[in-house]
């Protein structure tokens, strides 16, 4: 007999009561599933980069100490949520058991290999043993199990893409999928931080959707990133500069768009204080899509008001329907991007 | 001869260079206008509530000390930006001079009485004398001057609404105007914090737009606020509870909507940690409009991903076209709301 679970996993929250598994300090990681849960035999944890850096620092780079810290986190919280950064990561594993309440509701079957697309910071986890720590790409192979809640999102791993590459691409999958939804034919689109991991995928999809009558502008920081974008032909206009300098961004984008500014600005810069650049570069009634986690809500809200800009500002939801397929599809379509991602992030 | 100014007022920034007037530490408050500026003879400052509370505390409630602190801020920064809270407020005044470059571009003329709708935190200001401090409604009458930049937004004060009432309503004008843009006929709309200053105006407009086939739900904290909403007939369903308890909000909204959830959720709660409540109460592909300045960008972005919710999340821009007129119009249309606002906020 299976116990009845809540779709969001609130039945696993030990403390504090009333919250969801992500903000919870401790979740129940007993590996006996509820009727709407999925049990995963875990192969690899892809630890969030902020979290892994912190653990690595705390361990002074010592692999055995890293293992100890990671096991300690899971022992205390029942999930791999870094207590300093609050963040988690993703995992790869194989389906071991599916709760009966999910029959007919899920396309998964026992034996499927998946990547979870919900954060490790809310995923009940048990680590039996840590096998390998790959410090250069924040990945850790383990022997262990995890639970996926009914509302938890995942992607079946494709057979034609190496697992490490798939993991890296899936990490930023929300950005290109949202780009497809937001760009219309003929649009002028600016990607701030266009030379980074998420930015490149945004440029790629923006160019496809905007089409030959559109204009895609890449703003990057280092000339090297810009060179890559130019080489791959991912943008119609390439500009290098500091995206925190709002006036410079505004003036250069005015120039590049004959004073018309952009229908859509996507902010993928990993640093704070880029809100005003994104807002000023947008047309009245245009849209700013903030994918960067360094975005400040109040700086965006008061900033737009301060300059009297009637722009639509969107918070980058890490999830949108079909986002995993979209990002993996890019790796199939573009050999150039696949080679680049394999070199940089896999 | 007038000097040529930048529309955003960057020509007045003294330090640091390259930023806009709002993030600037010091702006030039010489009251000699550039060619695209407007000089205002200031009558009343409506200090932002967070800022006024801080100043009042620092002054131990002493009016003379409050005056001293306020003059000190302006002497140091050239604008009334509270160094602790970072925030400003609004002002009322009379147009004294209009730069020649604005001729034909502005509907203002010398002698018009306006409220500025851009923050005092970016408005060059000189205080010659502080006349009266009205501590209960954060308003301060002064003798002084201010500059409005070309991009600065304002509202002409209506002749049929008392000035103090107009100021209070204009403070939250963005919320009802955005509500009109977002609600469609037949929509189910939830307003979290619906009993507050901005929430009531949102309820009013949501009910008009959603029409008889729609459903408007008010979530309030205190029973007293709920009673007001019920009495004025501003919502179809009224629920009292703590909006930070996401599970309770989700369950009660499920019940109130026969399990369908909401097309639009508007968050007007003045406290943090309401992101998950708003997200869970929204239908897949529905919209969350975050008006509250207590919203956390990362909590919203990671929270939606964590529960696999494909919702559109919007940052509440304080400005949208026509927002001032919209909010003032409500005071003309609804005698009940006008009486209530006069009692509470004017
Ligand atoms: N919403 C979500 O669900 C979600 C999911 C994953 C990641 N994210 C966020 O997305 C952001 C980007 O992630 P990512 O993986 O694409 O990071 P990334 O590969 O490190 O890219 C960051 C980019 O920012 C650029 N940059 C840094 N400082 C700059 C400056 N001053 N001016 C202009 N550009 C600057 C870098 O440019 P150069 O290459 O030229 O130096 C780089 O291309 C991060 O903030 C991350 O938190 C969000
Ligand atoms: N985006 C912008 O441009 C802009 C402009 C102005 C203001 N704002 C923001 O909008 C928000 C609301 O402003 P306001 O003037 O409407 O404030 P307000 O009149 O103080 O209303 C706040 C409401 O929040 C409710 N509340 C407080 N704690 C609650 C809880 N735990 N559960 C449920 N409800 C709770 C209160 O309910 P009760 O009445 O039942 O106690 C009250 O009705 C503020 O955060 C403000 O910063 C934004």
């Amino acid at each position: 007999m299976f116990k009845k679970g809540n779709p969001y996993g609130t039945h696993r929250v030990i403390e504090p009561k009333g919250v969801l598994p992500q903000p919870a300090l401790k979740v129940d990681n007993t590996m006996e599933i509820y009727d709407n849960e999925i049990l995963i035999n875990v192969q690899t944890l892809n630890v969030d980069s902020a979290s892994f850096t912190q653990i690595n620092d705390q361990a002074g780079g010592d692999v055995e100490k890293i293992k100890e810290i990671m096991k300690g986190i899971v022992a205390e919280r029942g999930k791999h949520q870094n207590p300093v950064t609050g963040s988690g990561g993703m995992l790869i594993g194989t389906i071991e058991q599916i709760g009966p309440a999910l029959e007919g509701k899920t396309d998964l079957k026992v034996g499927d290999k998946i990547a979870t697309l919900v954060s490790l910071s809310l995923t009940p986890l048990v680590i039996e043993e840590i096998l390998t720590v790959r410090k250069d790409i924040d990945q850790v192979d383990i022997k262990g199990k995890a639970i996926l809640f009914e509302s938890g999102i995942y992607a079946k791993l494709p057979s034609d893409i190496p697992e490490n590459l798939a993991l890296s691409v899936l990490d930023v999958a929300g950005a290109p999928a949202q780009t497809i939804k937001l760009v219309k034919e003929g649009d002028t689109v600016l990607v701030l931080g266009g030379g980074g991991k998420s930015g490149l995928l945004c440029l790629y999809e923006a160019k496809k959707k905007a089409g030959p009558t559109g204009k895609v502008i890449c703003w990057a920081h280092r000339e090297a990133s810009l060179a890559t974008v130019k080489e791959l032909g991912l943008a119609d206009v390439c500009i290098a500069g500091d995206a925190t300098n709002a006036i410079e961004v505004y003036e250069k984008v005015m120039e590049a768009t004959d004073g018309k500014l952009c229908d859509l600005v996507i902010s993928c810069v990993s640093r704070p204080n880029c809100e005003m650049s994104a807002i000023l570069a947008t047309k009245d009634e245009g849209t700013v899509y903030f994918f960067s986690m360094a975005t400040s809500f109040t700086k965006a809200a008061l900033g737009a008001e301060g300059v009297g800009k009637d722009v639509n500002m969107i918070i980058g939801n890490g999830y949108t329907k079909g986002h995993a397929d979209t990002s993996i599809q890019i790796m199939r379509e573009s050999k150039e991007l696949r080679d680049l991602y394999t070199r940089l992030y896999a």
Side-chain angles (χ1 to χ4, degrees), chain A residues 14 25-31 42 45 47 55 66-83 91 120-121 123-130 140 142-146:
Chain A
I14 295 177
L25 288 174
K26 193 179 176 67
V27 299
D28 171 10
N29 64 347
T30 324
M31 288 297 141
V42 181
L45 304 177
V47 180
I55 293 171
I66 291 178
K67 292 183 182 177
E68 226 171 79
I69 296 170
M70 289 184 62
K71 284 195 214 161
I73 290 175
V74 175
E76 195 177 311
R77 303 207 160 204
K79 56 183 185 172
H80 199 277
Q81 180 177 35
N82 185 312
L91 65 80
L120 286 181
S121 66
T123 304
L125 178 72
V126 164
I127 298 182
E128 284 159 38
E129 197 186 335
I130 297 188
V140 179
I142 68 161
K143 224 175 134 237
K145 316 246 165 185

Side-chain angles (χ1 to χ4, degrees), chain A residues 46-170:
Chain A
N46 186 75
V47 180
D48 166 77
S49 130
S51 169
F52 194 82
T53 307
Q54 188 279 325
I55 293 171
N56 190 36
D57 286 354
Q58 190 184 326
D62 180 295
V63 170
E64 289 313 310
K65 286 229 181 81
I66 291 178
K67 292 183 182 177
E68 226 171 79
I69 296 170
M70 289 184 62
K71 284 195 214 161
I73 290 175
V74 175
E76 195 177 311
R77 303 207 160 204
K79 56 183 185 172
H80 199 277
Q81 180 177 35
N82 185 312
V84 181
T85 66
S87 55
M90 301 154 61
L91 65 80
I92 295 185
T94 308
I95 306 294
E96 191 167 304
Q97 191 186 7
I98 298 176
L102 295 179
E103 244 164 62
K105 274 188 171 182
T106 176
D107 61 343
L108 290 177
K109 51 183 198 316
V110 170
D112 280 348
K113 194 162 227 182
I114 63 163
T116 58
L117 300 175
V118 283
S119 176
L120 286 181
S121 66
L122 62 85
T123 304
L125 178 72
V126 164
I127 298 182
E128 284 159 38
E129 197 186 335
I130 297 188
L131 305 170
T132 327
V133 177
R134 286 193 293 281
K135 291 208 288 181
D136 49 332
I137 51 170
D138 310 342
Q139 291 184 0
V140 179
D141 294 334
I142 68 161
K143 224 175 134 237
K145 316 246 165 185
I147 299 282
L148 185 68
F149 298 129
E150 184 175 344
S151 66
I153 46 176
Y154 56 84
K156 287 199 215 182
L157 284 181
S159 52
D160 59 336
I161 307 275
E163 284 171 7
N164 289 350
L165 176 60
L167 256 191
S168 290
V169 171
L170 290 171

Side-chain angles (χ1 to χ4, degrees), chain A residues 297-298 301-302 305:
Chain A
F297 184 91
T298 42
L302 290 178
E305 182 193 272

Side-chain angles (χ1 to χ4, degrees), chain A residues 192-311:
Chain A
L192 292 172
K197 190 159 120 182
S198 58
L200 288 163
L201 302 182
C202 293
L203 286 174
Y204 179 82
E205 294 295 353
K207 209 144 168 44
K208 273 198 342 197
K209 282 289 301 267
T213 57
K215 183 183 265 182
V216 175
I217 307 170
C218 171
W219 187 287
H221 197 207
R222 291 168 303 131
E223 285 288 351
S225 313
L226 213 57
T228 308
V229 172
K230 277 187 192 159
E231 203 188 300
L232 300 191
L234 287 170
D236 301 303
V237 181
C238 289
I239 311 176
D242 183 351
T244 65
N245 187 329
I247 299 305
E248 190 191 335
V249 171
Y250 171 72
E251 283 170 357
K252 291 201 173 157
V253 172
M254 279 291 274
E255 205 184 296
T257 59
D258 304 316
K260 295 196 192 107
L261 299 175
C262 303
D263 299 289
L264 173 68
V265 175
I266 302 172
S267 179
C268 292
V269 175
S270 54
R271 274 162 138 266
N273 296 318
C274 297
E275 296 84 0
M276 282 318 297
S277 300
I279 290 166
L280 289 186
T282 306
K283 274 183 198 172
D284 249 352
E285 300 186 32
T287 297
V288 183
Y289 178 73
F290 290 108
F291 187 69
S292 166
M293 286 294 162
T295 305
S296 150
F297 184 91
T298 42
K299 282 184 187 163
L302 290 178
E305 182 193 272
V307 295
K309 267 272 188 173
D310 191 359
V311 290

